[in-house]
Amino acid sequence: MHRNTADGRLSRRGVLALGLTIVPVLSGCTSSPAIDGASRVTPSPEPPPPPLPGLDAGLAAESTALAWCDAISAKGYELSAGLTANLPGITEVHRRHLLALQLPDPPARPTGTPSAGLDPQAGSVDLGSDDARKAATRMAAAFGEVATTHRRAAVGAEGAPARFWASLAAAAAQSQRLVPRTHAHPRLAEEKPHAPLEVPEPAAALGELLVQTHALVYGCQVALTGVSGKAAESTVARLDSARRLRDDVTDALRVLDADVPAAAGAYEVEVPTDDGGTRTLVRSMENALLPYVGAAISAVSDQALRTRLVDALIERTRVGIDLGGRPLRWPGLPG
């Protein structure tokens, strides 16, 4: 409900909230002023966004990634069951990235395939006499190089571009992990309309990330109850990694002299009873963390901290794949 002012009129905020427009009253005028059509001023079009830093290198990297997908698919290899199942998703991810990089504002990444005359032309890859195994090994290495290129761009950028490049780096690292997998992963989810990449305040973004990291630490601790042996060792390693991220984010908040959210006493999680339950629990919590890491990447100005967060996004995206998770088109981005 909007409060009235003392003389019974709605406040300015109330008027705007109701979708109305405040029109200034011209002193001495009793009727609407005449408008001379010849004197109308056409609003200037908004200038296009500045070129994305690192664009040329990013285009070349994604062109190479897509070229590998096309070449290994067209060669006629008898690929492993895992790569046969996962290759269409890998290809779609890098085709979408290459299309987005051809747009005036790549971080906007419109949903679906852009149709404004864009053509995701891939480069070329000479497989020569490589057998299927050697070609797959080279392909995985190429994705690693793509991830390195995008990581470099993310570390050197700020704001939304830093988050965008970090997402592409994590996706390339995801593809590198998927190539040698021996089993099929879930297919890509349907692509929903994307939310805009808003850049939050550093303290707010880091505070929300810390809240989520506290939950991840708790989840990893709970997950240990359902595993033993090598599975337990892997879970312990992920717990240690989550704790390091928690400590780094805590330190960053203290440098900002900002509030440091404390961990809750407990979180509602289903206690796993076997390895499958453990993988599901940790994977779901790792994936839930990614957008918060991405938001923090765009918010921070300290390059050392941004580097740490970019590496965290890449690492945690890989963990999702290692635990059998669904590949993501845009790790760390909303929508």
Side-chain angles (χ1 to χ4, degrees):
M1 179 178 295
H2 302 286
R3 296 178 182 272
N4 288 350
T5 57
D7 60 0
R9 293 174 296 175
L10 281 172
S11 67
R12 178 183 179 89
R13 179 177 299 177
V15 171
L16 295 177
L18 288 173
L20 305 176
T21 303
I22 297 177
V23 180
V25 177
L26 300 179
S27 177
C29 293
T30 58
S31 61
S32 300
I35 300 177
D36 182 359
S39 64
R40 290 177 182 172
V41 178
T42 303
S44 301
E46 292 188 11
L52 187 67
L55 181 59
D56 289 343
L59 279 166
E62 285 300 326
S63 177
T64 298
L66 187 56
W68 270 102
C69 295
D70 291 346
I72 207 165
S73 178
K75 185 70 173 180
Y77 287 130
E78 186 175 343
L79 300 173
S80 68
L83 185 52
T84 298
N86 297 324
L87 183 57
I90 297 172
T91 303
E92 180 183 339
V93 166
H94 292 286
R95 190 175 300 279
R96 288 291 293 119
H97 292 176
L98 189 54
L99 282 165
L101 286 168
Q102 296 178 67
L103 298 171
D105 185 17
R109 58 199 173 94
T111 305
T113 302
S115 58
L118 301 181
D119 186 11
Q121 291 290 333
S124 60
V125 170
D126 183 7
L127 296 174
S129 59
D130 288 354
D131 59 20
R133 175 172 292 188
K134 185 174 181 181
T137 300
R138 289 178 58 201
M139 183 181 186
F143 283 133
E145 293 174 3
V146 173
T148 297
T149 297
H150 295 328
R151 176 188 178 276
R152 186 181 305 116
V155 169
E158 292 185 349
R163 187 177 186 180
F164 175 76
W165 285 124
S167 179
L168 265 61
Q174 168 184 265
S175 296
Q176 183 183 22
R177 272 296 206 269
L178 281 168
V179 170
R181 304 297 290 181
T182 58
H183 63 275
H185 283 249
R187 294 184 178 183
L188 293 166
E190 180 182 354
E191 190 169 14
K192 299 177 181 179
H194 299 303
L197 291 186
E198 298 180 358
V199 179
E201 291 297 321
L206 291 169
E208 291 182 357
L209 174 56
L210 183 57
V211 169
Q212 298 300 317
T213 307
H214 282 316
L216 175 61
V217 168
Y218 181 87
C220 289
Q221 291 171 331
V222 171
L224 282 170
T225 63
V227 291
S228 60
K230 290 185 177 180
E233 292 176 4
S234 297
T235 304
V236 168
R238 293 182 182 110
L239 172 60
D240 290 342
S241 174
R243 283 171 169 164
R244 288 193 296 271
L245 179 61
R246 175 199 62 191
D247 294 345
D248 289 343
V249 175
T250 298
D251 290 343
L253 283 166
R254 287 174 176 159
V255 168
L256 294 174
D257 196 25
D259 291 337
V260 179
Y267 299 83
E268 290 187 13
V269 297
E270 185 173 345
V271 179
T273 57
D274 55 23
D275 180 52
T278 294
R279 293 165 69 87
T280 299
L281 172 60
V282 177
R283 183 177 67 231
S284 64
M285 301 194 79
E286 289 279 8
N287 283 344
L289 187 74
L290 297 181
Y292 296 93
V293 180
I297 288 170
S298 68
V300 301
S301 59
D302 181 79
Q303 190 175 59
L305 178 57
R306 184 164 56 251
T307 301
R308 171 69 178 97
L309 294 171
V310 170
D311 289 342
L313 183 69
I314 293 171
E315 175 192 358
R316 317 221 83 80
T317 302
R318 284 173 174 155
V319 167
I321 295 301
D322 292 345
L323 294 174
R326 185 189 302 277
L328 304 171
R329 289 180 182 84
W330 309 98
L333 297 188

